[in-house]
Amino acid sequence: MSEIQRPKESWGTRVGVILAVTGSAVGLGNFLRFPGLLAEYGGTFMIPYIIAFLILGLPIAFSEWALGRFGGRYGYNSTPGVFRAVGKRSHLASYLATLGPVIPILIYTFYVFIEAWCLGYAWKYAFGTMPNPDGIKDFFASFTGASENGILFQDPLNNALIFLAVCFVLNFFLIYRGLSKGIELFCKIAMPTLVLCAVIILIRVLSLGSNPDFPDRSLIDGLGYMWNPKWDLLLSGDIWLDAAGQIFFSLSVGFGIIITYSSYLKPNDDISLSAITAAAGNGFTEVVLGGMIVVPSAIYFLGPETMSDPAVNGSSFNLGFVALPAVFDAMPWGNFFGFLFFFLLFLAAATSSISMLQPAIAFLEEALGLGRRASCAILGFITISGTFIVIYFTQDFAALATLDTWIATVGIYILATIQVLMFGFVLGIRKGQEEIDRGAEIRLPRIIPYIVTIVCPVYLITVFGYWVVTNLILDDSITNQIKNSLPVQITIGMILLTIIFIILVISEAVRRWDRKDKSLKGAEL
Amino acid sequence: MSTLITSLAQATENAAKAEAFTISPIGLVIMILAIGGMCSLLGWCVYKVVTVPHPEEHLHTQADITPPDEIEERQ
């Protein structure tokens, strides 16, 4: 296969890098999952959340930034390439990074579908065609196909499919334009717009006062419902598991995205301040904006019984796409605020979903020597195939839930564990510290590489072990689904096929990289 | 530790019974600390990003990055 000479890519500005990484991190989890967890566990949730942020999220983020920039010095932009550079051309290192391209590709296949829901809701609010609260459950079921498998294809112009097509075209257009003119430019516009939308809604929520129709519902009650601690829950393992999962999903660590993004930096560019700023931006969006909008307004307009409703409690989808439309219906200027909210959700989802495509594009380009057009075409085929399974098996979101469990939960724990072990034991603590310090604009505590090497693997393996015991050993619902549900079996088949495909591409990449290294050595002799 | 947590849980439960969902003093403290902490952290980061001077050509294309292998080759 002849190698296509392509221009090397890079970030345009430092603010652009930070906004792109923040945009990758800020997603639906910030505005839907985090408020739901806070309402479930109360203010107590902040204790494991902050601990997970400090000793899991931030250190792993530092290690990913350092690994990525290290690999970028050798011209690698994908996780398998970066691991090869760290592992001193070891083939095993590249194969250990198999999940690096797999995770973002497969998460994209369902994330883009939810992105389409947000765009569809925003569109309907903008044109005043959202149904009233009585019909919202039926509308959600028909719009997303939750009622029956394959139902979306019966009337594709009147449900989420048309918006899915728009999202696909937009995402691939941005990716095709490249790093600086696509991702960076979009994030520079989308992130400030997102924050502006959120601030406008937040001001509206904070000025609610007491509900004149229901004196027992007020903004203060909403805040109390969320922030009053429930100390007894602190002894439950679930709160620690949920906090770790939230930090992971929210900061986008363990996705292979930060490694790719930071590989485009120059060797002496700062990573310490950039990493903290991106994490802080994500935390601000999550705690201050996301945490203060959804639940207080739901309590104010719908009452605390809504949050206790099993249909809403514990389900980010129902909270966001069923309960919130009822809130906007009861709110003066509801269509305007409904549009703002779902448009900001769409922007949050779009900045995240384009970041999921870049690691795979970088991998296909450097592994097979493809140009941008060819790599976009291959990735388009893979993601459309995967998304087809997600949008066909929509009943109870079986395919989506399976991908969420095995990729967005199990997969990211495994990849994050491999990453911290590569950082601590292959790159090494001393070299890792040097890598973090090079060009650093703030001095990080010396203990960070030790936390990455010792604390993070123990924390990750413990939390993951707890998940395996509670979800696979003590509870047989997941294993029963694998045995009895055809959609689940097909989805797992898709996951395995993707893994096999990536392993085959890695084997070709390793051969190419070896040939290149040998030719360089030959030239040297 | 578990006794302390149980006592706190009972106190919180009693307070909840007395005043439905009105935010409790400790809930208010947690909220202020969480929101204040995140705002302060982001504010400090933005201040550092804006004020710390860095070279004008801070970010370059990868074309002008010389991988270690090429350095060895040239030598």
Side-chain angles (χ1 to χ4, degrees), chain A residues 9 172 175 264 356-366 372 375-377 379:
Chain A
E9 287 205 277
F172 273 87
I175 283 294
Y264 296 104
M356 292 170 199
L357 294 174
Q358 184 62 28
I361 289 286
F363 174 62
L364 291 172
E365 286 182 350
E366 72 185 24
R372 176 56 53 99
S375 54
C376 278
L379 186 61

Side-chain angles (χ1 to χ4, degrees), chain A residues 372-514:
Chain A
R372 176 56 53 99
R373 192 173 297 175
S375 54
C376 278
I378 293 175
L379 186 61
F381 174 75
I382 296 170
T383 50
I384 287 171
S385 306
T387 305
F388 176 78
I389 291 175
V390 172
I391 60 179
Y392 187 83
F393 296 111
T394 46
Q395 187 173 4
D396 300 327
F397 303 120
L400 192 156
T402 305
L403 285 166
D404 188 40
T405 302
W406 292 105
I407 298 298
T409 305
V410 176
I412 62 175
Y413 273 112
I414 294 172
L415 182 59
T417 308
I418 293 171
Q419 281 173 358
V420 293
L421 293 176
M422 283 294 288
F423 179 88
F425 295 101
V426 181
L427 185 63
I429 291 178
R430 189 184 55 79
K431 218 170 170 182
Q433 181 74 61
E434 285 173 8
E435 193 61 36
I436 291 173
D437 283 345
R438 189 181 306 111
E441 292 179 358
I442 54 167
R443 188 176 161 84
L444 294 178
R446 304 290 91 185
I447 200 170
I448 294 283
Y450 292 95
I451 293 177
V452 174
T453 309
I454 299 160
V455 180
C456 288
V458 172
Y459 196 130
L460 286 168
I461 291 167
T462 306
V463 171
F464 182 60
Y466 178 81
W467 183 89
V468 170
V469 170
T470 51
N471 289 281
L472 297 182
I473 297 173
L474 298 179
D475 185 355
D476 57 0
S477 56
I478 291 179
T479 44
N480 280 342
Q481 278 180 347
I482 296 172
K483 286 176 193 165
N484 304 321
S485 167
L486 181 66
V488 172
Q489 290 164 353
I490 289 176
T491 310
I492 288 180
M494 175 182 83
I495 294 173
L496 294 175
L497 271 179
T498 311
I499 291 173
I500 291 167
F501 172 74
I502 295 296
I503 288 174
L504 290 174
V505 177
I506 289 176
S507 68
E508 173 60 26
V510 164
R511 272 197 290 273
R512 288 188 70 252
W513 293 334
D514 279 348

Side-chain angles (χ1 to χ4, degrees), chain A residues 282-293:
Chain A
N282 176 67
F284 172 82
T285 315
E286 187 156 275
V287 176
V288 181
L289 302 178
M292 298 291 281
I293 290 175

